Amino acid sequence: MEKTFDKIVSHAKKTGFVFQGSEIYGGLSNTWDFGPYGSMLKDHIKMAWKKKFIQENPDNVELQAAILMNPRVWEASGHLSSFSDPLMDCRSCKTRHRADHLISDFTHGEVSADGWTNEQMETYIREHNIPCPKCGSHDFTPIRQFNLMFKTFQGTVEDAKSTIYLRPETAQGIFVDFKNIQRTYRKKLPFGICQIGKSFRNEITPGNFIFRTREFEQMEMEFFCRPGDDQEWFPYWRKFCMDWILSLGGQRENLRYRDHTKEELSFYSTGTTDIEYAFPWGWGEVWGIADRTDYDLSQHQKFSGENLEYMDPNTGEKFIPFVVEPSVGVERLFFMFFCDAYDEETLDKGDTRIVMHFHPVLAPIKCAVLPLRKSYAEKAREIRQSLSYDFETDYDESGSIGKRYRRQDEIGTPYCITIDEQTMADGTVTIRDRDTMAQERLSVEQVREKISQAIRF
Ligand code: ATP
């Protein structure tokens, strides 16, 4: 079974995980709304991240910084001067392209132009005769840089003084609050500050469904440590991120590490690795893990005039900490887990089913309650109510039981329980496993225990 892009996207839309944004107005291109199941899947991804990065990690804490920040932040971080993409227009069909994407798409991800100069990219495109993906022409404008930050105005006057930006990453909020957190929470190195939140980038070439959008959610951690210790923490977090994906059912053969070459690295970074996933169109970045040295804090110290040094409580030594940053997009993880989970199975009698093999932790609904007859509805609702105290549940009494199972398979519900005559007599139910389709008879309390075990993470 081939998992094509079209199949995956149409399944996500059909099952109400994702809708086109502003659909009744003809949509707003590349914006997406997450329906009830989609919202739950996103929430479960975020909860799983928070659990492993914060709850279970005694070194790490959470922050929720403002989206709107003093514009000087973006001067210090370098976003105002250099957060731009190399843009080329096709003179024939007038579409815009990112030069680095023309190269990576043309080579199916085998050649990365990250870190190349504009001239190197133009030469590569010319020498390899790379066509416009829309119309096939070879007539491109020269590359120009395009800043990706969304601008807006704060207050009633719209002038240069009131210009502010929607944050293009959550990381800078963490750097700006480094001292506040370190002092008030008496944190000793090493420690991490984690943040989940919306980021905005005026991408030139958004697309591939929810893979590249202009509004997205990031989960970022800045892990501060002593200079030199970053050499140990960088491989540690690189592996930690991959293990996190695998522990949630990510398939190893669809994942790879891609270490940035010397030419690609930002001048301040001593190492950057992307965890990439084999999306239906080719390899794409899901998670970026970077050793950012002391660059960000030093910049903010310089621009703000605040001393951002850390004083070692044992030695009295003062220095600017180094930082390792794992940064991941929630929607990219969503898409990755969605692709991995998707399956079409042929059953006995030539029947087929689409089934989403989500890890139970990620599955939007953990258990669906299905009464076999309308007259069992009251009992079924009562059981559902009791289970919903512990898990997300669904209830469905319409259509044949086979159809109801299929509906739950299609959204990846790991367990369905049916309420039948015996339930009315002794309170037991049958519980069906999504993947094996095996059924067993259990009491409601045993069902609760079984599902609790399955979602322990
Ligand atoms: P790309 O090369 O794909 O543009 P990037 O290297 O600019 O990504 P980072 O700045 O490292 O991305 O952002 C960290 C993470 O945030 C990425 O690994 C990705 O998961 C997510 N992300 C970045 N840009 C977008 C976007 N436009 N839409 C959705 N997710 C994004």
Side-chain angles (χ1 to χ4, degrees):
M1 185 258 321
E2 206 195 338
K3 295 186 193 185
T4 63
F5 179 77
D6 288 349
K7 270 188 197 172
I8 304 281
V9 173
S10 107
H11 189 68
K13 291 180 177 172
K14 196 184 87 189
T15 45
F17 277 78
V18 183
F19 302 116
Q20 166 72 62
S22 313
E23 193 167 14
I24 61 167
Y25 286 96
L28 174 66
S29 60
N30 297 296
T31 60
W32 303 101
D33 294 344
F34 290 85
Y37 297 139
S39 306
M40 287 161 131
L41 176 54
K42 272 183 96 176
D43 281 348
H44 296 162
I45 291 171
K46 290 188 266 187
M47 278 156 59
W49 184 86
K50 278 172 83 159
K51 180 141 192 292
K52 295 295 169 190
F53 280 80
I54 307 172
Q55 183 181 324
E56 290 181 14
N57 191 313
D59 296 330
N60 296 348
V61 290
E62 189 183 0
L63 170 73
Q64 296 187 11
I67 289 178
L68 304 176
M69 302 183 81
N70 187 313
R72 296 267 294 154
V73 169
W74 309 114
E75 268 179 60
S77 67
H79 283 86
L80 266 177
S81 57
S82 58
F83 188 57
S84 56
D85 278 341
L87 175 73
M88 286 179 119
D89 287 340
C90 167
R91 287 200 180 95
S92 307
C93 70
K94 311 285 180 234
T95 52
R96 298 209 147 149
H97 306 279
R98 259 176 73 170
D100 54 334
H101 285 177
L102 284 176
I103 295 169
S104 59
D105 292 350
F106 183 72
T107 60
H108 302 288
E110 292 309 321
V111 177
S112 163
D114 281 3
W116 290 14
T117 62
N118 288 353
E119 209 183 333
Q120 283 171 314
M121 286 188 268
E122 279 174 5
T123 310
Y124 189 95
I125 290 167
R126 206 175 37 247
E127 284 178 356
H128 292 79
N129 215 11
I130 298 180
C132 166
K134 176 106 186 281
C135 72
S137 146
H138 298 269
D139 191 11
F140 292 111
T141 61
I143 293 176
R144 64 203 149 84
Q145 292 300 131
F146 175 81
N147 193 292
L148 298 183
M149 282 204 293
F150 275 100
K151 262 190 210 167
T152 185
F153 302 98
Q154 173 154 286
T156 50
V157 184
E158 297 191 3
D159 63 11
K161 270 197 241 148
S162 63
T163 302
I164 53 166
Y165 302 87
L166 300 185
R167 68 178 176 201
E169 60 176 36
T170 63
Q172 297 306 322
I174 299 178
F175 294 122
V176 167
D177 273 325
F178 164 75
K179 202 89 210 204
N180 278 338
I181 290 182
Q182 194 270 316
R183 269 204 214 113
T184 42
Y185 291 80
R186 301 183 314 282
K187 295 301 283 180
K188 289 196 186 129
L189 292 182
F191 71 93
I193 306 179
C194 306
Q195 171 154 234
I196 300 181
K198 287 260 180 175
S199 293
F200 303 84
R201 297 183 186 179
N202 199 3
E203 297 275 3
I204 301 163
T205 47
N208 281 340
F209 191 38
I210 57 172
F211 179 82
R212 185 177 303 286
T213 49
R214 296 191 170 109
E215 170 187 345
F216 54 97
E217 267 187 294
Q218 285 186 310
M219 304 196 285
E220 295 194 294
M221 176 178 69
E222 304 304 324
F223 192 78
F224 300 97
C225 61
R226 289 183 69 89
D229 289 358
D230 54 313
Q231 301 293 322
E232 278 161 45
W233 286 112
F234 177 64
Y236 173 87
W237 287 112
R238 193 178 171 276
K239 177 170 183 311
F240 191 93
C241 297
M242 179 66 92
D243 288 347
W244 183 89
I245 295 178
L246 298 177
S247 69
L248 286 168
Q251 292 165 22
R252 187 64 184 84
E253 65 274 21
N254 294 334
L255 290 156
R256 73 177 185 190
Y257 287 113
R258 195 181 70 76
D259 295 330
H260 285 212
T261 59
K262 277 215 166 63
E263 296 71 51
E264 283 176 76
L265 285 179
S266 319
F267 68 92
Y268 49 80
S269 175
T270 53
T272 299
T273 298
D274 293 341
I275 295 179
E276 295 187 333
Y277 178 76
F279 287 99
W281 63 87
W283 292 100
E285 173 181 336
V286 173
W287 213 319
I289 302 109
D291 183 335
R292 301 181 60 90
T293 64
D294 59 356
Y295 176 73
D296 305 272
L297 285 181
S298 302
Q299 285 292 102
H300 287 300
Q301 174 163 288
K302 192 162 124 200
F303 279 72
S304 68
E306 280 282 325
N307 182 354
L308 298 181
E309 283 176 330
Y310 171 82
M311 190 179 77
D312 189 298
N314 300 322
T315 62
E317 203 187 340
K318 286 186 181 166
F319 55 88
I320 295 207
F322 272 36
V323 74
V324 175
E325 174 196 81
S327 169
V328 66
V330 178
E331 292 82 357
R332 287 202 186 168
L333 285 172
F334 181 115
F335 201 0
M336 178 190 83
F337 285 124
F338 206 88
C339 291
D340 261 355
Y342 184 89
D343 198 10
E344 289 165 13
E345 286 179 8
T346 308
L347 308 172
D348 305 342
K349 300 182 214 140
D351 226 7
T352 57
R353 68 166 184 162
I354 294 180
V355 54
M356 299 297 288
H357 295 287
F358 289 127
H359 188 291
V361 165
L362 298 181
I365 301 289
K366 311 302 183 203
C367 175
V369 180
L370 316 173
L372 283 187
R373 288 210 193 136
K374 287 254 156 68
S375 56
Y376 308 149
E378 199 183 322
K379 181 78 187 159
R381 287 211 180 91
E382 189 188 299
I383 291 173
R384 186 236 172 136
Q385 195 58 42
S386 148
L387 290 173
S388 67
Y389 183 79
D390 292 305
F391 328 105
E392 289 97 344
T393 54
D394 220 346
Y395 175 83
D396 189 359
E397 58 177 32
S398 61
S400 72
I401 189 69
K403 281 214 177 87
R404 284 184 267 168
Y405 282 149
R406 293 291 167 275
R407 281 201 283 268
Q408 295 300 328
D409 290 343
E410 287 179 6
I411 61 163
T413 305
Y415 299 103
C416 286
I417 63 171
T418 44
I419 310 303
D420 55 18
E421 204 176 333
Q422 202 175 327
T423 316
M424 306 307 282
D426 64 10
T428 62
V429 297
T430 53
I431 179 165
R432 168 190 180 267
D433 183 289
R434 173 197 68 199
D435 299 333
T436 62
M437 294 186 285
Q439 302 194 10
E440 60 178 323
R441 191 133 209 128
L442 297 177
S443 71
V444 173
E445 286 323 302
Q446 287 169 320
V447 165
R448 196 188 305 276
E449 182 52 28
K450 190 180 175 78
I451 303 175
S452 299
Q453 286 304 326
I455 60 171
R456 268 185 77 87
F457 173 69

